[in-house]
mmCIF file of all heavy atoms in Angstrom:
data_model
loop_
_atom_site.group_PDB
_atom_site.id
_atom_site.type_symbol
_atom_site.label_atom_id
_atom_site.label_comp_id
_atom_site.label_asym_id
_atom_site.label_seq_id
_atom_site.Cartn_x
_atom_site.Cartn_y
_atom_site.Cartn_z
ATOM 1 N N PRO A 10 59.588 -221.265 -72.807
ATOM 2 C CA PRO A 10 60.065 -220.406 -71.733
ATOM 3 C C PRO A 10 61.583 -220.500 -71.626
ATOM 4 O O PRO A 10 62.214 -221.459 -72.071
ATOM 5 C CB PRO A 10 59.396 -220.979 -70.499
ATOM 6 C CG PRO A 10 59.133 -222.417 -70.828
ATOM 7 C CD PRO A 10 58.874 -222.440 -72.288
ATOM 8 N N ARG A 75 53.626 -229.289 -73.556
ATOM 9 C CA ARG A 75 54.717 -229.170 -72.593
ATOM 10 C C ARG A 75 54.222 -229.744 -71.265
ATOM 11 O O ARG A 75 53.129 -229.406 -70.757
ATOM 12 C CB ARG A 75 55.052 -227.688 -72.421
ATOM 13 C CG ARG A 75 56.255 -227.472 -71.423
ATOM 14 C CD ARG A 75 56.565 -225.983 -71.268
ATOM 15 N NE ARG A 75 57.795 -225.740 -70.525
ATOM 16 C CZ ARG A 75 57.831 -225.611 -69.191
ATOM 17 N NH1 ARG A 75 56.736 -225.696 -68.464
ATOM 18 N NH2 ARG A 75 59.016 -225.401 -68.610
ATOM 19 N N TYR A 80 55.303 -224.157 -64.059
ATOM 20 C CA TYR A 80 55.559 -223.595 -65.379
ATOM 21 C C TYR A 80 56.890 -222.952 -65.519
ATOM 22 O O TYR A 80 57.493 -222.898 -66.578
ATOM 23 C CB TYR A 80 54.427 -222.565 -65.689
ATOM 24 C CG TYR A 80 53.025 -223.166 -65.651
ATOM 25 C CD1 TYR A 80 52.050 -222.578 -64.893
ATOM 26 C CD2 TYR A 80 52.707 -224.296 -66.414
ATOM 27 C CE1 TYR A 80 50.752 -223.101 -64.841
ATOM 28 C CE2 TYR A 80 51.381 -224.811 -66.372
ATOM 29 C CZ TYR A 80 50.465 -224.198 -65.579
ATOM 30 O OH TYR A 80 49.179 -224.733 -65.486
ATOM 31 N N SER A 149 47.452 -231.187 -72.548
ATOM 32 C CA SER A 149 48.312 -231.395 -71.359
ATOM 33 C C SER A 149 48.356 -230.183 -70.453
ATOM 34 O O SER A 149 48.087 -229.067 -70.912
ATOM 35 C CB SER A 149 49.762 -231.744 -71.817
ATOM 36 O OG SER A 149 50.337 -230.671 -72.399
ATOM 37 N N ASN A 150 48.658 -230.428 -69.191
ATOM 38 C CA ASN A 150 48.907 -229.374 -68.239
ATOM 39 C C ASN A 150 49.764 -229.925 -67.114
ATOM 40 O O ASN A 150 49.378 -230.917 -66.483
ATOM 41 C CB ASN A 150 47.605 -228.826 -67.658
ATOM 42 C CG ASN A 150 47.839 -227.691 -66.618
ATOM 43 O OD1 ASN A 150 48.590 -226.754 -66.895
ATOM 44 N ND2 ASN A 150 47.233 -227.828 -65.479
ATOM 45 N N GLN A 202 40.719 -226.399 -72.431
ATOM 46 C CA GLN A 202 41.761 -225.830 -71.633
ATOM 47 C C GLN A 202 41.822 -226.575 -70.367
ATOM 48 O O GLN A 202 40.856 -226.775 -69.655
ATOM 49 C CB GLN A 202 41.557 -224.353 -71.355
ATOM 50 C CG GLN A 202 41.991 -223.381 -72.422
ATOM 51 C CD GLN A 202 43.469 -223.054 -72.260
ATOM 52 O OE1 GLN A 202 44.276 -223.805 -71.710
ATOM 53 N NE2 GLN A 202 43.864 -221.909 -72.771
ATOM 54 N N LEU A 203 43.009 -227.088 -69.956
ATOM 55 C CA LEU A 203 43.205 -227.711 -68.687
ATOM 56 C C LEU A 203 44.066 -226.784 -67.800
ATOM 57 O O LEU A 203 45.188 -226.520 -68.115
ATOM 58 C CB LEU A 203 43.952 -229.066 -68.896
ATOM 59 C CG LEU A 203 44.003 -230.027 -67.718
ATOM 60 C CD1 LEU A 203 42.623 -230.313 -67.140
ATOM 61 C CD2 LEU A 203 44.710 -231.324 -68.119
ATOM 62 N N LEU A 204 43.423 -226.254 -66.732
ATOM 63 C CA LEU A 204 44.022 -225.195 -66.007
ATOM 64 C C LEU A 204 44.252 -225.589 -64.560
ATOM 65 O O LEU A 204 43.399 -226.279 -63.946
ATOM 66 C CB LEU A 204 43.126 -223.930 -65.977
ATOM 67 C CG LEU A 204 42.710 -223.407 -67.359
ATOM 68 C CD1 LEU A 204 41.722 -222.271 -67.234
ATOM 69 C CD2 LEU A 204 43.947 -222.896 -68.057
ATOM 70 N N SER A 205 45.377 -225.261 -63.978
ATOM 71 C CA SER A 205 45.712 -225.536 -62.534
ATOM 72 C C SER A 205 45.020 -224.575 -61.619
ATOM 73 O O SER A 205 44.960 -223.347 -61.955
ATOM 74 C CB SER A 205 47.207 -225.486 -62.360
ATOM 75 O OG SER A 205 47.874 -226.570 -63.014
ATOM 76 N N LEU A 260 43.853 -220.607 -76.879
ATOM 77 C CA LEU A 260 44.678 -219.895 -75.869
ATOM 78 C C LEU A 260 45.496 -220.834 -75.032
ATOM 79 O O LEU A 260 45.951 -220.526 -73.934
ATOM 80 C CB LEU A 260 43.701 -219.138 -74.901
ATOM 81 C CG LEU A 260 42.756 -218.148 -75.614
ATOM 82 C CD1 LEU A 260 41.790 -217.532 -74.566
ATOM 83 C CD2 LEU A 260 43.592 -217.006 -76.275
ATOM 84 N N ARG A 261 45.810 -222.032 -75.639
ATOM 85 C CA ARG A 261 46.485 -223.032 -74.855
ATOM 86 C C ARG A 261 47.969 -222.766 -74.709
ATOM 87 O O ARG A 261 48.574 -223.193 -73.728
ATOM 88 C CB ARG A 261 46.281 -224.397 -75.490
ATOM 89 C CG ARG A 261 46.781 -225.532 -74.638
ATOM 90 C CD ARG A 261 46.529 -226.892 -75.342
ATOM 91 N NE ARG A 261 45.087 -227.138 -75.454
ATOM 92 C CZ ARG A 261 44.640 -228.174 -76.080
ATOM 93 N NH1 ARG A 261 45.435 -229.006 -76.760
ATOM 94 N NH2 ARG A 261 43.310 -228.467 -76.149
ATOM 95 N N LEU A 262 48.596 -222.098 -75.662
ATOM 96 C CA LEU A 262 50.014 -221.856 -75.550
ATOM 97 C C LEU A 262 50.338 -220.911 -74.406
ATOM 98 O O LEU A 262 49.946 -219.813 -74.364
ATOM 99 C CB LEU A 262 50.526 -221.240 -76.869
ATOM 100 C CG LEU A 262 52.048 -220.838 -76.899
ATOM 101 C CD1 LEU A 262 52.948 -222.075 -76.629
ATOM 102 C CD2 LEU A 262 52.469 -220.214 -78.186
ATOM 103 N N ARG A 263 51.075 -221.453 -73.408
ATOM 104 C CA ARG A 263 51.454 -220.716 -72.241
ATOM 105 C C ARG A 263 52.938 -220.678 -72.091
ATOM 106 O O ARG A 263 53.562 -221.714 -71.923
ATOM 107 C CB ARG A 263 50.777 -221.294 -70.984
ATOM 108 C CG ARG A 263 49.260 -221.090 -70.913
ATOM 109 C CD ARG A 263 48.631 -221.935 -69.827
ATOM 110 N NE ARG A 263 48.587 -223.303 -70.240
ATOM 111 C CZ ARG A 263 47.842 -224.235 -69.551
ATOM 112 N NH1 ARG A 263 47.116 -223.881 -68.497
ATOM 113 N NH2 ARG A 263 47.856 -225.536 -70.003
ATOM 114 N N VAL A 264 53.506 -219.513 -72.175
ATOM 115 C CA VAL A 264 54.979 -219.372 -72.036
ATOM 116 C C VAL A 264 55.212 -218.448 -70.827
ATOM 117 O O VAL A 264 54.993 -217.237 -70.896
ATOM 118 C CB VAL A 264 55.596 -218.775 -73.312
ATOM 119 C CG1 VAL A 264 57.124 -218.653 -73.153
ATOM 120 C CG2 VAL A 264 55.289 -219.652 -74.504
ATOM 121 N N VAL A 265 55.603 -219.060 -69.746
ATOM 122 C CA VAL A 265 55.790 -218.250 -68.505
ATOM 123 C C VAL A 265 56.963 -217.337 -68.625
ATOM 124 O O VAL A 265 57.979 -217.686 -69.260
ATOM 125 C CB VAL A 265 55.930 -219.218 -67.278
ATOM 126 C CG1 VAL A 265 57.241 -219.986 -67.355
ATOM 127 C CG2 VAL A 265 55.839 -218.436 -65.987
#
Side-chain angles (χ1 to χ4, degrees):
R75 182 181 189 270
Y80 301 125
S149 67
N150 179 51
Q202 275 275 26
L203 192 54
L204 305 173
S205 293
L260 302 176
R261 189 180 293 173
L262 176 59
R263 288 168 287 193
V264 180
V265 69

